[in-house]
């Protein structure tokens, strides 16, 4: 199945979240999914911090899109429009993913072809749901 894994676009919407981006994108980069099957997109919602400069310096392979409004839904839609993936993962900037997060979601989608969306379990830092 590894050879036939789908191309996935991961879209992160950000607003003044420079302090969150390192943990978020480090966890995205650490996914146990083939890097040639991944695309990373960050949509910035008019941040006034250094989020865009931080991303350009530290994660140059991430496509950064500048939204002209602070609108979360519009930010996701802008990222989706640019995405090339067969699947699109919408991820908040304050999240840290486990290494198997994406591969497990893809398994669910392949086993259940009638399913249109899947989401991971969201835990607090102490492990509570």
């Amino acid at each position: 199945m590894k050879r036939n894994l789908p191309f996935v676009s991961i879209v992160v919407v950000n607003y003044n979240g420079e302090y969150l981006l390192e943990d978020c994108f480090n966890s995205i980069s650490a996914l146990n999914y083939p890097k040639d099957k991944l695309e990373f997109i960050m949509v910035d919602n008019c941040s006034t911090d250094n989020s865009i400069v931080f991303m350009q310096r530290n994660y140059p392979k991430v496509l950064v899109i500048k939204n002209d409004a602070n609108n979360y839904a519009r930010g996701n839609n802008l990222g989706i429009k640019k995405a090339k993936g067969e699947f699109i993962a919408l991820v908040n900037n304050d999240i840290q993913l486990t290494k198997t997060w994406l591969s497990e979601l893809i398994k669910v989608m392949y086993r259940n072809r009638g399913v249109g969306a899947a989401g991971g379990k969201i835990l607090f830092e102490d492990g509570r749901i």
Side-chain angles (χ1 to χ4, degrees):
M1 180 169 137
K2 286 199 189 277
R3 239 181 284 160
N4 297 325
L5 287 173
F7 190 76
V8 178
S9 300
I10 299 177
V11 176
V12 178
V13 175
N14 177 68
Y15 174 72
N16 285 339
E18 178 186 6
Y19 67 101
L20 299 167
L21 295 174
E22 184 173 12
D23 287 340
C24 177
F25 279 92
N26 282 349
S27 74
I28 290 171
S29 297
L31 291 170
N32 70 345
Y33 201 84
K35 302 305 177 230
D36 63 333
K37 299 279 188 169
L38 288 173
E39 168 186 52
F40 309 116
I41 300 169
M42 184 191 84
V43 180
D44 190 78
N45 277 349
C46 302
S47 291
T48 57
D49 64 4
N50 290 315
S51 293
I52 292 174
V53 171
F54 175 82
M55 290 302 295
Q56 291 169 335
R57 275 193 196 133
N58 296 289
Y59 302 94
K61 293 183 179 181
V62 175
L63 172 63
V64 176
I65 300 169
K66 297 176 186 177
N67 191 0
D68 61 7
N70 182 10
N71 182 308
Y72 181 74
R74 184 169 190 264
N76 276 312
N77 287 332
L78 287 170
I80 290 167
K81 283 180 186 173
K82 286 286 187 182
K84 298 174 189 157
E86 179 182 345
F87 290 96
I88 300 170
L90 303 176
V91 177
N92 291 345
N93 65 352
D94 64 346
I95 200 137
Q96 293 177 42
L97 305 172
T98 61
K99 290 181 183 205
T100 60
W101 173 81
L102 183 58
S103 56
E104 292 300 320
L105 288 178
I106 294 298
K107 283 181 195 175
V108 168
M109 297 302 290
Y110 270 157
R111 285 187 196 135
N112 305 284
R113 287 299 193 163
V115 171
K121 188 186 314 180
I122 300 173
L123 304 174
F124 288 103
E125 286 185 36
D126 65 4
R128 290 180 298 129
I129 295 177

